[in-house]
Amino acid sequence: MRWKAGTTGRRRGLLAAATAAVGAAALALGTASAVSGATAASASEHAAPAALGGNWYGAAPYVMPFDNSPPDLGPVMSATGQKSFQLAFILAPNGGGCSPTWDGTHPVSSDTQAKSVIDGIRAAGGDVTVSAGGYGGTKLGQTCGDPSSTAAAYQQVVSKYALKAIDFDLEEPEYENATAIHNEIGAAKILQQNNPGLYVSVTTAGTTGGEGTGWFGKQMLAEAKSQGFTPANYAIMPFDGGFNGSAAQISALEGFHSTLMSTFGWSSATAYAHEGVSLMNGRSDTGEYFRQADFQAVLDYATSHGLSRFTFWSVNRDRQCSPPDNNGQTSGTCSSVTQGAWDFTKFTAAFGGAPASPPPTDPAPGACTAPAWNATSVYTGGMEVTYSKHTYKAKWWTQGETPGTADVWSDEGPCT
């Protein structure tokens, strides 16, 4: 999960850097270090976004431009080939209200610092997506009265920075608030409708086990279904939840794939094409370790299955600590594992630069051979039924629970 405003940590692995270091880094960003300075100085006041494909927006790693010793992104781009970055986070003001701010403290309306970073990235041939939400802080969906006013607040961000992509990071504690999630999902749908071509991604918590995300994550998906909203991508964060390396992460992704199919009635191929992963590099907040080999394994899975997003938290942390293990502590400014500079960003660069491969093709649907579902019949685990031209298998005892709307049913795919 992610940074928590006003604390030294956040379930996205963020022990804040010392205040002086953060202030110096922020000053460097504001006054033009390599990417956000000399290049940005020659960029127009309203630099046009680069023409990047969706694969790059799905490959944008997270960066905190105001906190955790933000790196100069010019050398990162040169060293890795990375073209896109996801700047975090847009929140409601700490004092309340329905206007967008960076981290709850820097109003978007008067911002020049983040804009300088964005202009510099674009001048170097890249582009950005901006993330709203994260772990902790007050979200716009909590303070704005309805989806339309929430969307109007986010539209200020889209318009200010001429965005071609935006991410909704919906996790604790906001996703436990049904009204806030209704507002956020509704706002995302409105933004998508009012900004043709806008790449909209949704990020939520990942869990071990068979479904990939927890009860609140599934409620968020149900809210999206009820509003008729389909983003470019739904990504889970398989860390800080009892994960241990890439095998557990891939298992969670497979579970989430099944959840997407059963929730939306999607085929396997369609579900993979709308699925993504947001990793954490190095040591997580809970002491899990995700090294370069883990990133490679998940990247191989993502590319071979046609996932549309592969990102991580964060570029601020993509540096070796001193000592390399950081004395067994998690940091917001380094990874706590042995690494070269920007090792983990090279994986998102590989995903973004790879030709977009089509997801696995589903076989042609066969005949519907299972008996039709009956609301009064009792079904036990393993029994199959036909409903709405899909075959469903019961996971456990059930009666009167409609296939496609209840977790008890596993969608086995379409039939004719």
Side-chain angles (χ1 to χ4, degrees):
M1 300 136 118
R2 319 264 194 240
W3 165 82
K4 186 171 182 179
T7 71
T8 58
R10 147 196 217 266
R11 306 241 309 258
R12 219 166 182 188
L14 302 177
L15 297 181
T19 303
V22 170
L27 179 61
L29 278 170
T31 56
S33 63
V35 117
S36 53
T39 5
S42 60
S44 70
E45 177 62 21
H46 300 285
L52 299 185
N55 222 42
W56 276 114
Y57 292 120
Y62 288 81
V63 178
M64 294 187 75
F66 292 90
D67 204 352
N68 286 326
S69 188
D72 179 351
L73 296 176
V76 178
M77 296 175 76
S78 297
T80 65
Q82 184 68 38
K83 293 183 179 180
S84 56
F85 297 92
Q86 187 144 263
L87 305 188
F89 287 101
I90 296 295
L91 294 168
N94 284 348
C98 186
S99 59
T101 68
W102 290 100
D103 301 341
T105 56
H106 306 278
V108 166
S109 60
S110 58
D111 167 65
T112 59
Q113 186 168 313
K115 187 178 185 304
S116 180
V117 176
I118 294 169
D119 286 351
I121 292 168
R122 288 174 175 166
D127 200 11
V128 302
T129 174
V130 167
S131 186
Y135 179 78
T138 303
K139 317 305 191 301
L140 285 165
Q142 295 172 274
T143 58
C144 299
D146 52 31
S148 61
S149 58
T150 308
Y154 285 129
Q155 185 64 54
Q156 296 177 46
V157 184
V158 173
S159 299
K160 166 102 176 182
Y161 304 114
L163 296 181
K164 298 298 183 184
I166 189 169
D167 173 57
F168 286 78
D169 191 315
L170 305 178
E171 51 177 304
E172 294 182 22
E174 181 190 29
Y175 79 161
E176 299 170 6
N177 180 327
T179 299
I181 291 301
H182 174 76
N183 291 343
E184 295 281 0
I185 293 295
K189 180 180 179 181
I190 293 169
L191 287 180
Q192 189 181 65
Q193 292 171 337
N194 292 347
N195 300 272
L198 184 70
Y199 181 100
V200 180
S201 58
V202 174
T203 307
T204 197
T207 59
T208 56
E211 297 178 301
T213 191
W215 190 86
F216 290 110
K218 290 185 291 182
Q219 289 299 108
M220 181 272 292
L221 296 177
E223 177 66 33
K225 181 180 180 179
S226 72
Q227 293 199 36
F229 167 65
T230 303
N233 179 271
Y234 287 108
I236 57 170
M237 298 176 287
F239 57 82
D240 283 352
F243 295 93
N244 185 22
S246 58
Q249 295 176 316
I250 291 170
S251 176
L253 287 166
E254 276 297 287
F256 190 56
H257 171 248
S258 297
T259 296
L260 291 175
M261 287 195 294
S262 62
T263 300
F264 299 108
W266 288 342
S267 69
S268 177
T270 299
Y272 280 129
H274 285 86
E275 184 176 4
V277 61
S278 180
L279 303 171
M280 185 168 180
N281 55 314
R283 188 183 194 277
S284 77
D285 311 89
T286 59
E288 305 153 330
Y289 282 89
F290 305 106
R291 295 180 169 85
Q292 292 91 328
D294 297 304
F295 267 55
Q296 184 64 63
V298 178
L299 175 62
D300 290 343
Y301 171 85
T303 53
S304 65
H305 287 77
L307 271 62
S308 56
R309 192 160 171 239
F310 179 93
T311 181
F312 74 96
W313 182 272
S314 65
V315 181
N316 302 66
R317 305 181 68 249
D318 196 7
R319 301 173 275 206
Q320 183 167 284
C321 302
S322 181
D325 70 350
N326 201 39
N327 297 313
Q329 300 297 311
T330 301
S331 171
T333 60
C334 54
S335 66
S336 302
V337 298
T338 301
Q339 68 160 98
W342 323 124
D343 270 0
F344 292 95
T345 305
K346 292 174 184 177
F347 291 101
T348 51
F351 183 83
S357 57
T361 303
D362 289 325
C368 296
T369 57
W373 175 74
N374 187 310
T376 62
S377 297
V378 171
Y379 300 97
T380 56
M383 295 180 70
E384 291 185 332
V385 298
T386 297
Y387 183 78
S388 191
K389 294 187 177 180
H390 273 244
T391 300
Y392 289 90
K393 180 184 287 186
K395 300 177 184 177
W396 52 80
W397 187 97
T398 179
Q399 182 182 31
E401 296 180 282
T402 306
T405 64
D407 288 343
V408 65
W409 292 107
S410 173
D411 189 349
E412 302 294 293
C415 57
T416 58

